[in-house]
Amino acid sequence: MLTDGPASGYDLKKHFESSFGHFFAAGYGSIYPALSALSKQGFVNCEKIPQDGKPDRKVYEITEEGRQFLLKALENPNPCHKLRSEFLATMCFAHLMPRKDVETVLDNRLEEIKRYQEMFRDIEGGGTSDWPGGMKFVLGFGEALAAAMETYINENRHLLAEKVVAKTATG
Amino acid sequence: MLTDGPASGYDLKKHFESSFGHFFAAGYGSIYPALSALSKQGFVNCEKIPQDGKPDRKVYEITEEGRQFLLKALENPNPCHKLRSEFLATMCFAHLMPRKDVETVLDNRLEEIKRYQEMFRDIEGGGTSDWPGGMKFVLGFGEALAAAMETYINENRHLLAEKVVAKTATG
DNA sequence: TGCAGCATGTAATTTGTTACATGATTAA
DNA sequence: TTAATCATGTAACAAATTACATGCTGCA
C-alpha cells in the first residue's frame, strides 16, 4: 500500500476496512508488528511526527529496497485465492437446523453483502479515474462476486427449506 | 462431516479436497489433532480396525453429545465468510509488473477455476438426488462463484493492460 | 523403477486474533 | 454524557501450515 504514498499504521488500517477489506483482512495486531519488521529490514523508513495528546504519528515510506522486494514478491505466477466460509459450512447442515434459524443466517448474509455493495459505491463515488487499472479490476471483482452471491442466495434459498429430520440414536 | 456417517481422518481429508474444499481447507495437520481432541471431549467415538502393512484404520463416529454440540454451534446467526486473496492483492499492483507476468497470473487463475468446475461436474455426475438440500445449495454456490469469476476475468482483463510505469526515486 | 494411493501421526514454525493498555478531541 | 475518531503498541492465545517420520500395495 505504501507504493501509493507514505502512510501511518492507522491509515493502512482504514484501507483494510475499505478498498482492501473485501479480499484481505488485517487488524492493528498484524499491521504494527509488520511495519516495525519491515523497518528493521530496511524496506520502509519511518518519520515521527509529534502531536499533542496523541502518540507520535509515525509515517512510513517505502524504500527502493522495499520496492525491489515487492517486485520480487509479485513474480509468483500462482498467488493463492482462498475462501473460508463458516456460512457455507453452516448451510451444509441446514437440514439439522430449525428453519427459522436458516432464514436468519441467510438474511444476515444478504445484509452483509449489501453493506459491501454500499462500500463499493462509496469508493466509486469518490472518483476512480486516477486509479491504476489494477485497482479498478479488483474493485469490480468484488462487486461481481457480491452480485453473484446475492442473486444465488435469492434464487436458491428454497433448497434449504427441507423438513427438519431428527437424526438421533432412535433414527 | 461425521453426521453423514462414520469416517477416518483419511476419508475426511478427501472430503476437504472435493465437496468441502472450495470453501474450507484442512490438512492432516489439522484433521488428526482435531479428531483426537473431539475424542477426548466425548464428541466422537473411535473404532480401530487392524490392517496389514498399513497403520490401524481409525473410524470415528459422532456421539449424541457431539451432535448436540454441533447443533449449538449451528445457532450462530452470523457465521463468517471471508476471502483471502493474494491473487487480488497481486492484481492491485499490476501496473508495477511486466504485462506478460500479469497475463500468466490471470491464465493460471482461470485454469484453477476450470479445475474447480470440473470437480463440481464430477461430484454432480456421482448423483446428488439423495443429498440434503444444504449440500446442493453449497455446491451450487461454489459453481455460481466460479462462473462469476471466470466471466469477470475474461471481460475485464483489459483493465490490467496499462503501460508499465517505472516509479523509482527519479520518477 | 518410480509414483500414486492408502494410512497414521508429531513437532516446529508461522500466522492471525483478541484482549489489554493509554488518552485527548470532537460531534451528537 | 456518550460514542466515535485519532493514534500507538504489546502479550497471550489460538489456529494453521509445513516438514518430518514410517511403510505396504498395486499399477504403468
Side-chain angles (χ1 to χ4, degrees):
Chain A
M1 288 178 185
L2 297 177
T3 59
D4 205 50
S8 67
Y10 195 84
D11 295 333
L12 298 178
K13 179 72 193 311
K14 281 186 292 187
H15 288 300
F16 278 114
E17 278 161 5
S18 59
S19 38
F20 275 66
H22 68 101
F23 66 90
F24 214 104
Y28 292 125
S30 305
I31 295 169
Y32 287 121
L35 284 171
S36 56
L38 288 169
S39 193
K40 261 177 222 155
Q41 293 172 285
F43 296 145
V44 299
N45 283 328
C46 174
E47 189 193 356
K48 281 169 203 143
I49 298 168
Q51 300 185 120
D52 42 305
K54 302 169 204 172
D56 291 3
R57 190 174 143 82
K58 293 190 182 178
V59 176
Y60 294 88
E61 188 174 23
I62 192 166
T63 62
E64 191 50 41
E65 298 82 58
R67 198 167 258 114
Q68 292 307 315
F69 184 75
L70 171 62
L71 256 36
K72 261 275 169 65
L74 292 175
E75 280 172 19
N76 175 6
N78 243 305
C80 70
H81 178 86
K82 273 175 194 164
L83 184 64
R84 152 79 43 131
S85 178
E86 283 177 23
F87 160 67
L88 291 176
T90 301
M91 291 305 95
C92 287
F93 304 108
H95 59 292
L96 304 176
M97 296 167 65
R99 197 182 302 184
K100 229 180 177 179
D101 286 8
V102 175
E103 297 298 323
T104 301
V105 170
L106 291 167
D107 290 337
N108 288 341
R109 175 79 359 230
L110 285 171
E111 262 179 56
E112 194 166 318
I113 292 170
K114 199 181 267 181
R115 280 195 295 276
Y116 270 107
Q117 288 173 330
E118 276 159 22
M119 188 199 75
F120 289 132
R121 239 173 288 139
D122 287 349
I123 293 172
E124 276 161 20
T128 57
S129 51
D130 53 335
W131 288 18
M135 268 295 165
K136 292 181 206 160
F137 178 89
V138 169
L139 258 291
F141 195 102
E143 284 183 296
L145 285 201
M149 289 191 281
E150 191 190 25
T151 302
Y152 183 82
I153 293 174
N154 284 321
E155 288 179 0
N156 295 280
R157 57 190 302 165
H158 66 88
L159 289 171
L160 301 167
E162 271 186 358
K163 253 191 297 188
V164 176
V165 179
K167 246 194 177 181
T168 61
T170 51
Chain B
M1 288 178 185
L2 297 179
T3 60
D4 206 51
S8 68
Y10 194 84
D11 295 333
L12 297 179
K13 180 72 193 314
K14 281 185 292 186
H15 289 299
F16 278 113
E17 278 161 5
S18 60
S19 39
F20 275 66
H22 68 102
F23 66 90
F24 215 105
Y28 292 126
S30 304
I31 294 169
Y32 287 122
L35 284 171
S36 56
L38 288 169
S39 195
K40 262 177 221 155
Q41 294 171 285
F43 296 145
V44 299
N45 283 326
C46 174
E47 190 193 356
K48 281 168 203 143
I49 298 168
Q51 299 184 120
D52 43 304
K54 302 169 204 173
D56 290 2
R57 191 174 143 83
K58 293 189 180 178
V59 176
Y60 294 89
E61 186 174 25
I62 193 167
T63 63
E64 191 51 40
E65 297 83 57
R67 198 167 258 115
Q68 291 306 316
F69 184 74
L70 171 64
L71 257 36
K72 260 277 169 64
L74 293 175
E75 281 172 18
N76 176 6
N78 244 305
C80 70
H81 178 86
K82 274 177 193 162
L83 183 65
R84 153 81 41 134
S85 177
E86 283 177 23
F87 160 67
L88 291 177
T90 301
M91 291 304 96
C92 288
F93 305 109
H95 59 293
L96 304 176
M97 297 167 65
R99 198 183 301 184
K100 228 180 177 179
D101 287 7
V102 176
E103 297 299 321
T104 302
V105 170
L106 290 167
D107 290 338
N108 288 340
R109 174 81 358 228
L110 285 170
E111 262 179 54
E112 194 168 316
I113 291 170
K114 198 181 267 181
R115 280 195 295 276
Y116 271 107
Q117 288 172 330
E118 274 159 22
M119 188 199 76
F120 290 132
R121 238 173 288 138
D122 288 349
I123 292 173
E124 276 160 20
T128 57
S129 50
D130 52 335
W131 288 18
M135 268 295 166
K136 292 181 206 161
F137 178 89
V138 169
L139 258 290
F141 195 103
E143 284 183 297
L145 285 201
M149 289 191 281
E150 192 189 25
T151 302
Y152 183 83
I153 294 173
N154 284 322
E155 289 179 359
N156 295 280
R157 57 191 302 166
H158 65 90
L159 290 171
L160 301 167
E162 272 184 359
K163 254 191 296 187
V164 177
V165 179
K167 247 194 176 181
T168 60
T170 53

